Every structure is written in C-alpha cells, then in structure tokens.
Amino acid sequence: MAEQQNQQKKQNQEPDLNQLLKVRREKLAELQAAGKDPFQITKYDVTVHSTDVKENYSEWEGKEVSIAGRMMSKRVMGKASFCNVQDLKGNIQCYVARDDLGEEAYKDFKRMDIGDIVGVKGIVFTTKMGEISIHAHSVTLLSKSLQVLPEKYHGLTNTDMRYRQRYTDLIMNEDVRKTFVMRSKIISCIRRYLDDQGFLEVETPMLVANAGGAAARPFETHYNALDEDVKLRISLELYLKRLIVGGMERVYEIGRVFRNEGLDTRHNPEFTLMELYQAYTDYYGMMDLTENMFRHVAQEVCGTTLIPYNEVEIDLGKPFERLTMIDAIKRYTGIDFDEIKTTEEAKKLADEKEVHYEERHVRGDIINLFFEEFVEEHLIQPTFIMDHPVEVSPLTKRKPDKPDHVERFELFIYGREMCNAYSELNDPIDQRERFKAQEAALAAGDEEANTTDEDFMNALEIGMPPTGGIGYGIDRLVMLLTNSPAIRDVLLFPTMKSLDK
C-alpha cells in the first residue's frame, strides 16, 4: 500500500516539475526577447567573497562590494526582498529594495529563480536581526538555471545521485565543498613539503608498453597511430627509477594510475598515487620522511595532529609504531612464522586456520595472507609493518641478515594501508630472477604478476645507486584527514556503472 502511495505521489509531482521547467524556459525566452539574454554576459567583476565579508566585517562595513554566486533562497515582501547568494567560500544575505534598484530592475529580480547565477553590487551592513548583509544597488542575472535544485532543507541525500551529479552535490552540500577544498590544500601542502626537502616534481608516461611496479591488472587499449597494444599505467615506479639512474637524486610524481579491479569503499579503478624516490637512503629514511610529512600535513591543513576518524581519534603526533610482519602476526595470533620453515608447514597451518591460499602459493605468500587475515584490522593507530617476505616484494632489496625477507614497509592507519615503501632493489641480476618468478606466477594464473621490462633492466645494468622509494595513496590520506568513510567521497568524479547497463 505504501509503495502504491509513493508511486501515486511521484506521478502527481511529475507534472508540477515539468511545469516548473517549462516556466523557467518561458522566462528565459522573455528575457531574450527583451534584449536581456543572461547568456550574452561575458564577465562580472567580483571584488570579494561572502565569507571574507563576514569574517572581516569591520574592514568592509559601509563599503561597496561586488559578489557573484548562486541564488539559494529568496523572500519577496512587496517593495523589499531578501535573497541568499552562495559563492565559493560560503553564502551571504542580500537586501533588495525597489527604491534602490528601480521599478523595472526590481520586477526582473522578482522573476529570478532559485538556482540562478547572479551578481550583486551594494553596501555591507548589519540588519536589525544582527545578520551581516549586502544592501543591493544592483542585481545582475548572469546565468539562468533551467533545472530545479533539490529541496532546500533536505538537500541532495541520494548517494548514487550525489556521485553522478557532483556539481549538484557541491551546490547543495557545504561539507562536500569543504572536503574538496581540503583535498586541494592537502596536495599543495605535500608539494611544498617535498619541494622544501629538495625533491623535483616530474611527469612520466600514462600509456606504457609494460605496466609494472605493482600487483594489479592493467587496462589495455590499442594505439592506432603505431598499431600497437598499450596499457594504462598501474604504478609510477619503473619510470621514476629510471630518473634516479639518470642522476636525478630526489624525484616525485603525483598522478592518476589505473587498475582493472573492483569498486569498494577503499578502491576506485583510477585513483591518485604519489611516488617518490631518493638516492643514497633506505627504507628507514623513507619511514622518517613519511612520519614527518604526515605530521606536518595534518598540522598545516587541519591545525592539529589529533585526527578524528569515525569513532576513534588518530594520533599523528606520537612516534609511529614499528613492527616486523612476523612480529605483528605473532602479536595477534601467537604464531611465530620464524618457526615455520617450509611451504608444506605453512600450508598445513593455513588449512588449520582456514586461511584460503592457491596451489602456487609458497611460504612467503602464506605469511602475507595471515597478516591480511588476522592483523590488518587491529592496526588503528599509525604503524609501520616492516620486512615482508621476498615472494610478495619483487622490486625490493633483500635483508642482508635474512635474505628470505626484504627491506620494505607499509604504513597502516585505521586498518588501512596508507603507503608502501622499499629499499629499492638495484641488483640487476637479482631483479631479472625476480621478474622470472613473476612471469612464472603469471603463467600459473596470477593476473596481477609483473612481466620483465627490458628497458628498465637496461637502466639497472647501467647502475642505480642505493635508493629509498615509496608510494602513497593520496585519496586514502584525504579520507583520513577529512573524516570521509569512502574513497568516492574524496573523488570529484568517481567511477560509476553506466545507467544504460
């Protein structure tokens, strides 16, 4: 019964909506016929934003200003009216009177609609109710809105619609606008920090013949001009390392990478990755840089190193804990993989603990599976997990005292991997053997395995200095610092399934 009522209500509303849209187009036609086509206006001089006026009222009181933005509300009361105009930084009330604008201009104002883009010029003052406002001398229609915005008090709450129509989401939800302003500030802060550390920002190819540097399935396409199949990059690593070989001692890149994988709260097939490489340091150097940078960005952008996320407070001010993967598993399961010497023993243990593995997996793979199954969810406060098995780290330098493990770490916060770093493998002989192992895994059905990149191998043979490298998921850092639950909340235009499917 309730469903029938909702359907009837929807049917009753549709003619009203269609009529509203028709009226807006008729208003536009009337304006155009009168020689007042708003789409003919090419510019409007804005002198200040709404929030700047409010926050510095003593500076602006009694002065003339020009603002521009979207009309979000309007109250017509005979010879005088109020409207609210929303711009980039916020919104401000405007007092509009017939005696100030003139008869014809005031009539035009009254026919403006919610959603129209307007320019307002007037004097800053405070109303009797104590609200900072602009006493308008002129109101200019800059663009006519031909659609109807979502209802004011409920806003745009449909999640699917918010992601598909981000432009409407940004108009209706102030918190969303703040999130993306924060995102821009976070990335700018990271750039300034790295620039001050002597790093050079560079750009590397997105279309590549060999998509390596990570465990992920690439997107593939065909390059018509060269009649060659190419892939979209899954990582920035192999080209940035070429630059280290070329003598550029500190480099970083912030850019989109593409991985042909599923969608969930932490994954989008295209996302923003930052990778940096520094010659003459190791993964300990990368740990220090990461901890200092996270702390700096939080303090600079959020004003604090105590970051609320969901129901907990993340403390970026305290030293980050450092644990080996073996010790982390031991802490949370009681199992010591240093005592598990063979693949057969590891698989038997996995069977007992109901940890799923594939036939091709060896001891190192199973150690990693145990970590993912039993440890990750417990790593709420910032924790560096170090010294991964060599089998899951094909581009990483081995530990001299423990060659079945490598000099690698991942930073976990709130149970999520925030970055991945190595003492980079610069031994070309060892690297070729690792690529062979990856190709064997690919042949055995691992679609995320790497293949040998011969040009990269040539670069290594020319010689790469000892190097520390790291990759950061920028979107996950933004999620953390803006208290956003899903990656789609920090991507302006997340990947969505076509409505035609």
Side-chain angles (χ1 to χ4, degrees):
M1 184 65 180
E3 185 176 345
Q4 291 178 344
Q5 290 175 341
N6 289 335
Q7 189 68 23
Q8 184 64 45
K9 183 179 179 182
K10 182 178 179 181
Q11 291 173 352
N12 292 338
Q13 288 175 340
E14 284 176 355
D16 295 337
L17 178 60
N18 291 333
Q19 183 60 31
L20 289 172
L21 298 178
K22 180 182 177 183
V23 167
R24 291 193 176 210
R25 281 164 173 76
E26 289 173 349
K27 288 181 180 179
L28 175 62
E30 291 172 8
L31 288 167
Q32 290 170 331
K36 299 177 181 179
D37 186 351
F39 299 124
Q40 294 295 316
I41 296 175
T42 59
K43 63 174 293 187
Y44 187 84
D45 291 328
V46 176
T47 61
V48 70
H49 283 93
S50 57
T51 304
D52 298 329
V53 171
K54 291 180 175 181
E55 293 178 350
N56 302 282
Y57 177 68
S58 60
E59 177 185 341
W60 293 103
E61 182 183 13
K63 294 182 180 179
E64 183 178 82
V65 297
S66 295
I67 66 160
R70 192 176 300 274
M71 189 184 296
M72 298 302 292
S73 66
K74 186 175 70 167
R75 288 179 289 139
V76 176
M77 301 176 295
K79 297 179 182 180
S81 304
F82 287 93
C83 68
N84 189 281
V85 177
Q86 176 178 290
D87 60 18
L88 171 67
K89 295 186 178 181
N91 61 81
I92 194 166
Q93 178 177 268
C94 299
Y95 172 73
V96 185
R98 185 189 67 182
D99 292 345
D100 297 308
L101 266 63
E103 191 83 36
E104 184 176 352
Y106 188 63
K107 181 181 177 182
D108 289 343
F109 167 77
K110 290 197 295 182
R111 288 182 61 74
M112 293 179 189
D113 291 306
I114 304 304
D116 287 351
I117 307 291
V118 298
V120 178
K121 181 180 289 186
I123 303 298
V124 176
F125 79 111
T126 303
T127 66
K128 293 178 180 179
M129 300 298 292
E131 183 167 356
I132 296 171
S133 306
I134 296 174
H135 188 142
H137 292 163
S138 68
V139 180
T140 305
L141 180 63
L142 303 175
S143 181
K144 183 69 185 169
S145 175
L146 301 180
Q147 280 285 354
V148 178
L149 292 176
E151 197 271 324
K152 173 184 174 184
Y153 293 101
H154 296 95
L156 182 63
T157 56
N158 181 287
T159 301
D160 188 74
M161 186 64 71
R162 285 182 51 230
Y163 296 147
R164 291 183 188 278
Q165 295 187 12
R166 183 67 85 187
Y167 42 89
T168 309
D169 191 24
L170 291 166
I171 293 168
M172 301 306 300
N173 295 318
E174 183 179 2
D175 287 345
V176 173
R177 291 198 305 278
K178 289 181 178 178
T179 291
F180 288 105
V181 170
M182 281 276 284
R183 180 188 175 102
S184 180
K185 289 180 178 179
I186 289 165
I187 293 173
S188 294
C189 185
I190 290 171
R191 281 193 165 103
R192 288 194 301 272
Y193 182 84
L194 292 177
D195 292 346
D196 289 344
Q197 298 293 316
F199 283 85
L200 298 175
E201 184 173 10
V202 298
E203 294 176 303
T204 60
M206 290 189 182
L207 287 174
V208 295
N210 188 320
R217 289 177 59 190
F219 287 95
E220 299 182 12
T221 188
H222 186 75
Y223 189 4
N224 292 333
L226 298 180
D227 191 24
E228 290 182 356
D229 291 333
V230 293
K231 301 177 178 67
L232 289 170
R233 67 185 181 187
I234 61 173
S235 170
L236 313 174
E237 180 167 348
L238 299 186
Y239 280 96
L240 291 176
K241 285 183 178 178
R242 287 168 166 90
L243 299 181
I244 295 292
V245 170
M248 300 179 72
E249 295 180 1
R250 298 189 184 201
V251 293
Y252 75 96
E253 180 174 7
I254 300 174
R256 283 293 175 106
V257 296
F258 309 87
R259 298 182 182 180
N260 199 346
E261 58 189 15
L263 298 163
D264 60 33
T265 56
R266 288 184 280 175
H267 296 89
N268 194 73
E270 58 173 309
F271 61 97
T272 302
L273 181 66
M274 181 178 81
E275 292 195 30
L276 63 85
Y277 293 84
Q278 179 179 342
Y280 311 114
T281 191
D282 61 4
Y283 73 145
Y284 288 107
M286 293 294 99
M287 279 188 228
D288 293 339
L289 184 149
T290 297
E291 186 168 340
N292 292 335
M293 186 178 74
F294 271 52
R295 191 170 293 132
H296 172 82
V297 172
Q299 186 65 53
E300 186 83 9
V301 177
C302 303
T304 179
T305 55
L306 295 174
I307 306 299
Y309 192 79
N310 286 344
E311 74 287 357
V312 301
E313 187 174 68
I314 305 298
D315 190 349
L316 297 176
K318 293 195 304 186
F320 296 3
E321 185 171 13
R322 301 183 180 192
L323 273 176
T324 68
M325 183 175 282
I326 296 290
D327 287 343
I329 294 171
K330 187 175 181 179
R331 173 183 291 184
Y332 292 103
T333 69
I335 297 168
D336 185 356
F337 268 96
D338 280 338
E339 302 299 322
I340 308 297
K341 302 296 185 182
T342 66
T343 295
E344 290 71 23
E345 291 177 281
K347 287 185 174 180
K348 180 180 178 182
L349 185 61
D351 291 335
E352 292 172 2
K353 300 296 182 182
E354 298 182 344
V355 174
H356 174 73
Y357 59 87
E358 298 179 25
E359 186 59 34
R360 61 182 175 80
H361 283 154
V362 296
R363 175 180 173 274
D365 297 299
I366 292 171
I367 291 173
N368 193 57
L369 290 172
F370 266 75
F371 172 78
E372 294 174 348
E373 181 74 22
F374 299 115
V375 180
E376 282 189 7
E377 63 181 349
H378 298 289
L379 305 176
I380 303 303
Q381 295 301 324
T383 305
F384 290 118
I385 296 296
M386 308 158 51
D387 301 352
H388 295 52
V390 68
E391 291 86 354
V392 296
S393 311
L395 297 164
T396 316
K397 185 170 287 192
R398 295 176 190 265
K399 291 182 68 64
D401 59 340
K402 201 173 185 180
D404 55 342
H405 290 260
V406 294
E407 294 190 349
R408 173 184 173 186
F409 73 80
E410 294 172 291
L411 173 63
F412 284 85
I413 301 176
Y414 199 76
R416 297 171 180 173
E417 177 200 336
M418 304 298 291
C419 63
N420 185 20
Y422 313 149
S423 294
E424 301 296 334
L425 179 59
N426 62 343
D427 178 346
I429 297 171
D430 190 357
Q431 182 64 80
R432 186 170 291 281
E433 291 303 312
R434 307 272 193 100
F435 274 140
K436 285 181 180 178
Q438 285 285 295
E439 290 188 343
L442 183 66
D446 184 356
E447 295 180 323
E448 296 184 346
N450 287 191
T451 57
T452 304
D453 185 326
E454 288 296 346
D455 183 71
F456 174 67
M457 288 304 308
N458 184 63
L460 281 190
E461 288 172 1
I462 288 174
M464 185 173 83
T467 298
I470 190 165
Y472 300 88
I474 294 294
D475 307 305
R476 291 185 184 179
L477 177 58
V478 176
M479 287 170 62
L480 174 68
L481 296 183
T482 61
N483 198 4
S484 299
I487 192 170
R488 290 183 177 185
D489 295 319
V490 300
L491 296 175
L492 279 168
F493 301 102
T495 301
M496 303 291 290
K497 185 175 182 179
S498 172
L499 291 173
D500 296 333
K501 296 295 184 180

